[in-house]
Amino acid sequence: MSKKGRRNFSAAFKAKVAVEALKEQSTLAELASKYEVHPTQITEWKKQLLSGSEELFETGKKAHKEADLEQEKDELYKVVGQLKIENDWLKKKSLNRSLAKTGRLALVNKAEKRLSIQRQCELLDLPRSSYYYTPSEETAENLDLMDMIDKTHLKHPYYGVKRMRAELSTPQRPLNEKRIRRLMRKMGLEAIYPKSNTSKPCKWNEKFPYLLRGVDIERANQVWSTDITYIPMARGFMYLCAVIDWQSRYILSWTLSNTLTTDFCIEAVQQAIDRYGVPEIINTDQGSQFTSEEYVTMVKGYGIRHSMDGKGRATDNIAIERFWRSLKYENIYLYSYKSSLELYTGIKEYMAFYNEERKHQSLEEKTPKAVYMGLNDPTAFTTENFLYGSSSFGGLTA
């Protein structure tokens, strides 16, 4: 039996796949199946496209300067040779030991001619087979199970793997903890309960204290919250990030993505700031997207005070958690969207309903929009006198 050779992808092919991933019109699993490419590789190409897009607009002296710097860099690499390259990789390895396996896989760069794929995998403590492995899509049974896990987690957020297995397992369909644990990790779900401080946070991920304990939230834009949730679909799933105003429960912006990366979280917060100004405090959980250097730099750049939930605290980000429950039970679970376009349209319609029509008992039977805008008469709002926000399907934002 002949050994299968390595696949070499052209720059045009990489760009095509990255652009399609950037459109967010298909899940990562659908793209991987369509193009026969590892999902991790698609995520890496998407990141490269985003980070390299600025170079398209570089002109004049800056472009020449960067070209000179690149030439000097190449000459230095020739001088120091293979030893320097491997030392750089060893430094990268030591800085990324806390990364999950998928994160380390994304660091493998096929375009690096001086280091083979095998050597890169060795430096990152990965078996080479992991890089070439193409995971199969989740079965229909697993997608149904993920849907059940999501619903159960909303009702009982304190259920861990053991209790989740006990809740969903039946004599006709026995489940093991390993399967439940894998699916919960893929969905980004974790049991919520106070935990002992037995480990210290990663030193290069900055953490912030919880600033809302005992604070009276009495005005719009005093406190915002943002979070990510898993959205099940008929085939695959997407991730939704939203920004909410605590005082009014008004949804300020939202974005959809087929990958659990930082960029779509930054985009959601940036859109909210562009439309409604800068809040005093923004609260998040301790997820890697919100402790990333890019996100923290953006928040600090606007002078916003960054508040973070305590690890495993169920009520620290209660405003956005309640909204996720409303969204899923009043829309997502009812329609079982079959495509990203259908999902985007459905969420957009629900957001308008939630903000402009759905009255809240806690808001004295007013809508979030009425409270946020400071008007007592909700009927004063119309589509003509208030623009909810421009939106385009290409970026799956609203």
Side-chain angles (χ1 to χ4, degrees), residues 151-204:
K151 292 178 180 178
T152 304
H153 181 75
L154 278 178
K155 290 182 179 179
H156 310 287
Y158 47 85
Y159 274 16
V161 172
K162 293 180 181 292
R163 296 188 69 177
M164 189 68 72
R165 185 204 65 79
E167 179 76 15
L168 302 180
S169 186
T170 65
Q172 294 76 25
R173 186 185 60 184
L175 302 171
N176 60 48
E177 293 179 8
K178 182 178 178 180
R179 184 181 183 186
I180 298 295
R181 182 177 290 107
R182 182 183 70 83
L183 293 179
M184 288 184 69
R185 284 178 177 172
K186 190 168 189 177
M187 296 164 67
L189 299 181
E190 182 182 30
I192 297 176
Y193 58 88
K195 302 175 183 178
S196 58
N197 185 22
T198 56
S199 61
K200 296 182 180 180
C202 179
K203 63 181 180 181
W204 50 81

Side-chain angles (χ1 to χ4, degrees), residues 225-238:
S225 263
T226 183
D227 194 17
I228 307 168
T229 193
Y230 159 91
I231 302 292
M233 297 171 60
R235 184 173 182 265
F237 50 88
M238 299 283 281

Side-chain angles (χ1 to χ4, degrees), residues 27-93:
T27 65
L28 205 58
E30 290 172 337
L31 292 176
S33 177
K34 179 179 179 180
Y35 292 104
E36 297 182 351
V37 179
H38 195 288
T40 303
Q41 189 65 72
I42 297 177
T43 300
E44 178 64 17
W45 290 346
K46 179 180 175 183
K47 289 180 180 177
Q48 290 176 3
L49 179 61
L50 287 171
S51 63
S53 59
E54 294 181 2
E55 297 177 5
L56 297 175
F57 303 97
E58 295 291 348
T59 57
K61 294 182 179 180
K62 188 174 181 180
H64 289 298
K65 184 177 179 180
E66 290 187 354
D68 292 340
L69 289 174
E70 285 298 320
Q71 184 176 357
E72 292 179 10
K73 184 178 178 182
D74 290 339
E75 291 175 357
L76 285 174
Y77 273 129
K78 291 177 182 179
V79 172
V80 298
Q82 189 76 11
L83 181 60
K84 171 63 177 175
I85 296 172
E86 294 196 359
N87 282 339
D88 288 343
W89 272 88
L90 287 173
K91 290 178 182 179
K92 183 181 292 185
K93 172 188 173 184

Side-chain angles (χ1 to χ4, degrees), residues 91-143:
K91 290 178 182 179
K92 183 181 292 185
K93 172 188 173 184
S94 65
L95 289 175
N96 290 281
R97 282 187 178 276
S98 65
L99 286 178
K101 183 177 180 180
T102 53
R104 284 180 282 135
L105 278 171
L107 295 175
V108 179
N109 183 9
K110 196 176 221 179
E112 177 56 69
K113 301 300 183 183
R114 299 174 180 85
L115 285 175
S116 66
I117 296 296
Q118 180 175 351
R119 185 55 183 158
Q120 291 181 47
C121 289
E122 289 173 356
L123 293 171
L124 294 170
D125 290 336
L126 291 170
R128 190 180 66 170
S129 58
S130 297
Y131 178 76
Y132 295 104
Y133 171 69
T134 302
S136 58
E137 295 183 24
E138 294 295 347
T139 62
E141 181 181 1
N142 272 351
L143 290 175

